[in-house]
Amino acid sequence: MSDEKSMGNLAERILFLSVDCKRFGNLRTTKLEVKTDADQARYHTTKQLLNSPELNQILIRDNEVKRSIQKYLLPYKVGVAILPTASAPTVKEVLDAYEKIERPALVKQFVAAYPAQVQDAQAQLKGDYNPTQYLPVTEVAKEFDFSWLLVSLDLPGDLKEKAYAQVMEAAAGISDALATGAHALVSKLADSLSANDDGKAKKICDVHFTKLQEFLAGFDIRNVCNSAELKAEMDVLKGIMNGVDPELVRNNDGMR
């Protein structure tokens, strides 16, 4: 199969995904001196504008939502991920629900608590309180934005040269990255099944099993380069891991 045809087929099977989360900036630099005989220029201090559980919850959920779609993604450049086209409906559902329903509700809770938290900041920061660093409550919600973008490289002829370069760059590392990911998960599981230097069995964690099983369950969709050799190896692993119960392994030295 020619490179051009291979590129075209791969372009139909992948999408580029970017996710951008913007939040209220809660840290500011300060000029407080540090109690040390070292050069003060070596130290930089910050203050927290708000003590806000609501803001922390938004940060937590932003990160949790990003992690929840990791199992559908393929490695690529920082800030951009490759998503198999077959996984797009599932990922779209997750991101749509967070963008349109859950995150606006979290932001609304933060805005409602904001005035009281500014008052608390004034009392707690005392002389370091700077009112110019706090937005009017009517402007706070504008600090939050959540956006995501899916881009296809199935482009018109005049743009295909750039698309070709991007797809071939992506394809070069996908199979290697999948193999590396599988190897890392297998190595962690294998290590947990071995014995310590004193001969005693190591602690087995369920997560070592579930992460490998999740990886294997989603492998065929993520194998967008159709690597037959890697698929054969993953199929063998699937057979080994199918139906394995961590609790049974934990209590049976023979199964280790």
Side-chain angles (χ1 to χ4, degrees), residues 196-233:
N196 289 308
D197 292 339
D198 59 5
K200 293 182 179 179
K202 292 182 179 179
K203 179 181 179 181
I204 294 178
C205 299
D206 289 7
V207 67
H208 294 143
F209 289 85
T210 56
K211 283 191 173 182
L212 180 56
Q213 289 167 335
E214 287 175 356
F215 179 92
L216 294 171
F219 173 78
D220 287 343
I221 287 179
R222 301 173 80 202
N223 185 27
V224 293
C225 292
N226 289 332
S227 172
E229 181 180 357
L230 188 56
K231 175 175 170 51
E233 293 179 4

Side-chain angles (χ1 to χ4, degrees), residues 189 191-194 201-209 245-253 255-256:
L189 177 57
D191 181 67
S192 71
L193 296 176
S194 65
K202 292 182 179 179
K203 179 181 179 181
I204 294 178
C205 299
D206 289 7
V207 67
H208 294 143
F209 289 85
D245 183 347
E247 188 64 25
L248 292 177
V249 177
R250 189 179 291 115
N251 298 310
N252 188 320
D253 290 340
M255 290 188 69
R256 285 176 180 257

